[in-house]
Amino acid sequence: MKSQILEILRNSNTYVSGQELCDKFGVSRTAVWKAINGLKEQGYEIEAVQNKGYRLVAAPDVLNQIELESIRKTDWAGCEVHYYDTIDSTNTEVQRLANAGAPHGTLVVANQQTAGKGRRGRTWISPTGVNVYFSLLLRPEINPNNASRLTLVAALALGNAIRELSGADVKIKWPNDIVINGKKICGILTEMSIQEDYISHIVVGMGINVHQKEFAEEIQDMASSIELETGESVSRAGLVERTMEYFEKFYEIYLQTEDLSALVKLYNSMLVSMHNDVRVLDPKEPFEGKAMGITAKGELIVDTWESRKLVSSGEVSVRGLYGYV
Ligand code: BTN
């Protein structure tokens, strides 16, 4: 009931009478009053005026189950939301839920991770209260060879959501880092479970540095947060919701062809290294060239003096000639 009351207050630009809430939920005035008090305890500023009712004055950056459910606007992404104050890893939790039969669109969100996973076996440091960590369960009927492209779809969704909510000039560092002012503010980890030769499920995990002010010395030159780079304090639940809305949109487009053909233009417009010189850290043979955008398969097109090369993600990193981007 709390999340529904919150939704009603949020959608109303005037007072909502206590009686109206009693009638809607078939409960007593005391029950409504208790629910309102519960919301206030969680940080919502709710004004109560006699003979008028309740009005939501402010919803600070509250991240919890009720908030996430009350702002949800998607069709299927986040159809089931599981919120945790602390969890080992949202990706791992989605794996567990998937193995127990959770549906496509299940979303796990956390305020802190104790065993956050990064790409290439790295750890994703996940402090409490400042960032948001979330993972989405997908059960697509697609060719497993085309699944890694979903990471680029997620990058587009995150990039657009952050751009919209913070107003920043958000860019993508191929294949899937989100950067503002040349610094990484998000990471994406996609994990796939295959049975025989079909996909049992895919987990798309996303971590956004939202308000974090301090970073470990070894990463502070390349990592940052939305607030540090823009001065804007963006709502974490809002970021999750908007990312899910964009994800649904881009995912439907991706599914039509199982590639990025209809998304290449948008992706290239956000590519931080577009038309810039890059160094491709290929373990076999590193090389330099000019980044010319991506292919429909999600490869990075790099023009060298001699030829045009297509770089697949995986073990290859790409850097700017003078730093991280
Ligand atoms: C990277 O190395 O850039 C990818 C980092 C991905 C981190 C996110 S946080 C939410 C989800 N759960 C995890 O354990 N990892 C991903």
Side-chain angles (χ1 to χ4, degrees):
M1 180 169 86
K2 269 197 227 161
S3 67
Q4 283 162 302
I5 291 185
L6 192 58
E7 199 177 335
I8 293 170
L9 294 181
R10 208 188 291 280
N11 293 335
S12 163
N13 37 23
T14 172
Y15 292 87
V16 179
S17 82
Q19 192 56 50
E20 192 180 324
L21 295 172
C22 294
D23 295 346
K24 175 141 181 69
F25 298 107
V27 296
S28 67
R29 284 220 168 221
T30 318
V32 167
W33 181 81
K34 273 193 185 156
I36 295 280
N37 270 355
L39 288 170
K40 282 186 185 169
E41 271 162 29
Q42 281 168 357
Y44 298 99
E45 276 179 52
I46 298 170
E47 187 188 22
V49 176
Q50 239 180 359
N51 299 327
K52 280 187 172 175
Y54 301 103
R55 187 173 71 93
L56 183 65
V57 180
D61 187 15
V62 182
L63 185 66
N64 59 34
Q65 183 89 26
I66 294 170
E67 178 72 12
L68 290 162
E69 281 173 356
S70 73
I71 62 172
R72 192 190 138 204
K73 293 197 200 78
T74 48
D75 288 334
W76 55 266
C79 56
E80 258 187 31
V81 180
H82 300 253
Y83 171 78
Y84 299 90
D85 262 330
T86 301
I87 189 101
D88 48 359
S89 150
T90 54
N91 268 34
T92 309
E93 178 61 9
V94 169
Q95 297 281 8
R96 289 189 283 257
L97 291 167
N99 294 335
H104 174 79
T106 298
L107 177 67
V108 170
V109 183
N111 186 37
Q112 179 187 30
Q113 295 183 122
T114 52
K117 297 188 285 185
R119 273 178 297 155
R120 297 178 198 157
R122 295 195 196 113
T123 302
W124 186 257
I125 310 278
S126 311
T128 183
V130 283
N131 300 330
V132 62
Y133 317 99
F134 54 113
S135 302
L136 181 66
L137 172 61
L138 302 173
R139 294 188 181 278
E141 287 172 15
I142 56 169
N143 182 333
N145 297 324
N146 301 338
S148 64
R149 298 167 193 168
L150 281 170
T151 305
L152 283 79
V153 173
L156 272 179
L158 271 170
N160 280 276
I162 296 170
R163 175 182 278 187
E164 192 180 297
L165 297 182
S166 71
D169 185 18
V170 180
K171 297 283 183 192
I172 301 173
K173 177 179 174 291
W174 182 89
N176 58 6
D177 285 351
I178 305 298
V179 297
I180 300 180
N181 301 335
K183 291 197 166 182
K184 174 167 170 170
I185 51 155
C186 289
I188 304 172
L189 176 67
T190 303
E191 296 179 294
M192 175 164 61
S193 281
I194 297 193
Q195 254 166 20
E196 285 154 23
D197 54 357
Y198 72 91
I199 296 173
S200 132
H201 62 262
I202 293 177
V203 183
V204 183
M206 294 161 264
I208 313 180
N209 298 338
V210 185
H211 309 297
Q212 192 173 342
K213 299 273 165 48
E214 279 160 19
F215 290 85
E217 212 176 306
E218 59 275 21
I219 57 167
Q220 60 181 268
D221 287 343
M222 67 177 222
S224 191
S225 67
I226 298 177
E227 190 159 342
L228 268 183
E229 293 309 313
T230 67
E232 294 290 326
S233 175
V234 180
S235 141
R236 289 173 295 160
L239 282 166
V240 174
E241 199 286 323
R242 205 69 191 106
T243 302
M244 289 300 105
E245 276 188 78
Y246 273 113
F247 188 87
E248 270 190 0
K249 177 174 160 192
F250 297 142
Y251 180 78
E252 301 302 338
I253 296 173
Y254 158 86
L255 273 191
Q256 284 166 18
T257 50
E258 291 188 24
D259 70 17
L260 302 162
S261 42
L263 296 167
V264 163
K265 211 168 146 202
L266 177 63
Y267 188 97
N268 286 347
S269 73
M270 298 183 80
L271 183 63
V272 71
S273 57
M274 190 70 183
H275 299 133
N276 289 346
D277 290 333
V278 291
R279 175 173 288 133
V280 179
L281 306 177
D282 188 327
K284 281 186 227 122
E285 202 184 348
F287 63 93
E288 288 171 13
K290 202 179 274 301
M292 303 302 291
I294 60 160
T295 66
K297 292 181 183 165
E299 302 143 320
L300 185 69
I301 305 166
V302 181
D303 282 354
T304 68
W305 286 112
E306 300 95 39
S307 62
R308 167 160 286 198
K309 299 197 179 189
L310 302 182
V311 184
S312 303
S313 54
E315 285 310 296
V316 178
S317 287
V318 174
R319 292 273 180 275
L321 286 196
Y322 308 105
Y324 169 61
V325 296

